[in-house]
Amino acid sequence: DVKVTQSSRYLVKRTGEKVFLECVQDMDHENMFWYRQDPGLGLRLIYFSYDVKMKEKGDIPEGYSVSREKKERFSLILESASTNQTSMYLCASSPGTGVQPQHFGDGTRLSIL
Amino acid sequence: RKEVEQDPGPFNVPEGATVAFNCTYSNSASQSFFWYRQDCRKEPKLLMSVYSSGNEDGRFTAQLNRASQYISLLIRDSKLSDSATYLCVVTLSGGSYIPTFGRGTSLIVHP
C-alpha cells in the first residue's frame, strides 16, 4: 500500500519564520504535489514536481518554494511565514505513467501566529 | 467560470436513502475523472475512477456524460459512515496530467 508521510500533523510558527514541511513517499512515484486546503476554497495546488530537481508552479506559488533533491522527498518551504499561510497543507504523489490517481499524506495543520 | 464545479451541499439524507451528486467541468479536453472521499480533518482518499461506460462498486455508481460535461456519483442504501465530503477530480488529456479538484460536496447521513 502506498504510504505518503508528512513530517508533522500540527505545527505552530511565528510570522517571519522560515518554515519547512517535509513529505516522503515510499512507492517510487515520479509525481509529487503540495496543496493547501482552506474552508470554502477547496484544494489549491501550490507546486508540483515530475522528477528529481524538477518543479513547476501551481495555482498559488507566491510565498512558497519547494525542493526535490531525492525522488522520494518533496519539501515545501515558506520563506517568511505570514498569517495568511495558516492552513491545512497536503502532500500527494502519483506514478508518472499516464493519468493516475493521487495518494495523499495525512496533512499538516499549520498555524502562523 | 470555475473549471470544476460541485454543489457544496450539505446533502442531509436518512439512512437507507439514495443520493446523487453531480460535478460539472468546463474543459471539453478533460479525459480522466475520479471521485475522492474526504472525512473531516482527514486527507482525501480515492473512492473510484470514472470510466466512459460508467462503473459500479458495491453501493456506489459513477457515470460520465461527456456531451453535457458532467460526472455523477450515486450512493444507494446510504450508511452513517458515508457521511463525508466527496471531491470530484478532472484531468486534461495529454500535457502535464495535473488534476483539478472540485471544492467538494458534503454529505450527512442521519439515523
Side-chain angles (χ1 to χ4, degrees), chain A residues 3-84:
Chain A
K3 185 69 176 175
V4 180
T5 304
Q6 294 184 228
S7 52
S8 306
R9 289 300 306 274
Y10 301 94
L11 204 55
V12 180
K13 296 291 182 181
R14 297 206 173 274
T15 303
E17 279 193 71
K18 191 168 186 176
V19 181
F20 293 85
L21 302 183
E22 305 288 347
C23 175
V24 177
Q25 49 93 5
D26 66 358
M27 284 301 290
D28 203 35
H29 284 173
E30 285 77 12
N31 303 328
M32 295 189 76
F33 308 81
W34 274 107
Y35 295 89
R36 63 178 284 177
Q37 187 174 32
D38 302 285
L41 296 178
L43 278 158
R44 292 183 290 169
L45 183 63
I46 304 171
Y47 267 97
F48 58 97
S49 169
Y50 294 122
D51 204 346
V52 176
K53 296 193 185 296
M54 295 188 69
K55 59 185 178 185
E56 296 284 343
K57 293 180 180 179
D59 299 319
I60 50 164
E62 296 78 20
Y64 303 95
S65 62
V66 290
S67 172
R68 189 145 182 223
E69 295 297 317
K70 294 184 178 181
K71 191 174 186 179
E72 67 270 20
R73 185 181 296 271
F74 193 34
S75 304
L76 179 69
I77 303 150
L78 285 66
E79 297 292 342
S80 177
S82 62
T83 54
N84 63 12

Side-chain angles (χ1 to χ4, degrees), chain B residues 5-28:
Chain B
E5 293 200 56
Q6 295 183 252
D7 181 343
F11 285 62
N12 233 300
V13 303
E15 268 186 295
T18 295
V19 62
F21 315 130
N22 281 348
C23 168
T24 59
Y25 59 93
S26 60
N27 194 324
S28 59

Side-chain angles (χ1 to χ4, degrees), chain B residues 2-71:
Chain B
K2 300 186 190 70
E3 292 183 51
V4 179
E5 293 200 56
Q6 295 183 252
D7 181 343
F11 285 62
N12 233 300
V13 303
E15 268 186 295
T18 295
V19 62
F21 315 130
N22 281 348
C23 168
T24 59
Y25 59 93
S26 60
N27 194 324
S28 59
S30 300
Q31 184 177 33
S32 299
F33 309 88
F34 304 96
W35 282 104
Y36 280 71
R37 171 197 169 122
Q38 186 173 24
D39 294 295
C40 188
R41 295 183 175 274
K42 298 279 193 177
E43 76 277 18
K45 292 185 178 178
L46 179 68
L47 179 65
M48 58 199 303
S49 303
V50 186
Y51 303 124
S52 296
S53 55
N55 48 303
E56 190 173 308
D57 183 3
R59 298 181 293 109
F60 297 83
T61 300
Q63 292 194 312
L64 167 64
N65 185 317
R66 284 196 184 274
S68 300
Q69 295 184 200
Y70 73 88
I71 63 172

